[in-house]
Amino acid sequence: MSTSFSRRLRRLQSQKETALCVGLDPVPARFPPSLQDGRLRTDAVRAFCTTIVEATAPYACAFKPNFAFFEALGPAGLTVLDQVVTTIPDDCLVLGDAKRGDIGHSARHYAASIYEELGLDACTVSPYLGRDSVMPFLEHEGTCTFVLARTSNDGAADLQEACTCDGTPLYRHVARRVQAWNADAPGDAGLVVGATAPAALQDLRSLCPSLPFLVPGVGAQGGDAAAVMDAAATDEGPVLVNSSRSILYASEGPNYADAAADAARALRDALNGGASSSRGAPSPPA
């Protein structure tokens, strides 16, 4: 039987003393001049991402490549994604930020491409189509499927908060359903909860104390590291805090790798110091 994602995450967080996940959102126009020398975009993206991975891996326990930025490269994009994934060290988990959300055969094939072909540890999915859009992902033992609950973007208020179900905001209903699906699944289910809504983050942690949380929005989107850890880091439920742009583009000059490493280290330290002593450090292995 495969070790669960949550247990692997806790073990790595304990060993490396970090809850940081580095998002890989490569934008060639923001690369340093040394990578804009006429080479193919695919080569530039590959070089940029592998350098970022090498520079920041000591301070992270996970990386989150965003499929959109690789798919924008055209047919070769998935090859570049696969090549970048192979450079991520074994002491970091890999989350595919794909935000899939289809049903039936489509969902099963999306799940197979992420978990079987690319061999990733986790991914993100949308729950809008309901249980049968999520369960094909949860059938993969040892993985974690992070379901969008209360996201970090401004538009989250349009549906996630404005729509109610049984008298509560939609995002709380989603969280309850995900917790129920998790109970019967071989793989782990988790929640995506944005750092820009600390009250919702704390609310959902109380509602789902043991689910893994993926928390984007710290850094460029304005989320606060200490507030996130105070709201979401518990002995029972692991949390991954993602930062992308504030690390990737800490410098757009020749020192971009060193600047990314410095930004990753600073955020790792902020996360470690941002919660009370009973909840601040990543939990020991279960």
Side-chain angles (χ1 to χ4, degrees), residues 36-195:
Q36 299 191 47
D37 55 2
R39 72 180 70 191
L40 293 173
R41 284 193 308 155
T42 50
D43 293 340
V45 167
R46 184 186 303 108
F48 178 80
C49 288
T50 54
T51 299
I52 290 291
V53 167
E54 182 179 6
T56 61
Y59 315 110
C61 61
F63 286 88
K64 182 174 70 64
N66 188 319
F67 279 37
F69 294 84
F70 294 90
E71 291 169 353
L73 298 173
L78 285 180
T79 298
V80 175
L81 171 61
D82 187 45
Q83 292 168 338
V84 170
V85 166
T86 63
T87 71
I88 296 174
D90 291 340
D91 63 354
C92 292
L93 299 175
V94 187
L95 288 62
D97 192 0
K99 297 183 179 71
R100 302 306 191 203
D102 211 329
I103 58 174
H105 291 299
S106 298
R108 283 193 289 275
H109 280 82
Y110 277 138
S113 70
I114 290 170
Y115 290 144
E116 296 175 15
E117 296 303 319
L118 289 171
L120 306 190
D121 300 293
C123 73
T124 57
V125 303
S126 170
Y128 193 72
L129 273 67
R131 183 181 187 275
D132 46 349
S133 68
V134 177
M135 288 307 298
F137 292 86
L138 296 180
E139 293 170 358
H140 292 262
E141 190 176 10
T143 67
C144 184
T145 299
F146 287 98
V147 181
L148 305 180
R150 203 302 183 180
T151 54
S152 58
N153 59 305
D154 292 340
D158 293 345
L159 295 176
Q160 298 165 17
E161 291 188 342
C163 298
T164 60
C165 185
D166 298 329
T168 63
L170 180 60
Y171 72 81
R172 292 188 96 249
H173 180 73
V174 168
R176 287 198 300 263
R177 302 298 291 181
V178 171
Q179 186 159 249
W181 299 337
N182 178 69
D184 300 323
D188 289 353
L191 297 176
V192 178
V193 189

Side-chain angles (χ1 to χ4, degrees), residues 25 64 66 97 99 150-156 192-198 215-224 242-247:
D25 301 5
K64 182 174 70 64
N66 188 319
D97 192 0
K99 297 183 179 71
R150 203 302 183 180
T151 54
S152 58
N153 59 305
D154 292 340
V192 178
V193 189
T196 54
V215 183
V218 170
Q221 289 180 279
D224 179 77
N242 182 78
S243 183
S244 302
R245 285 171 288 173
S246 62
I247 292 176

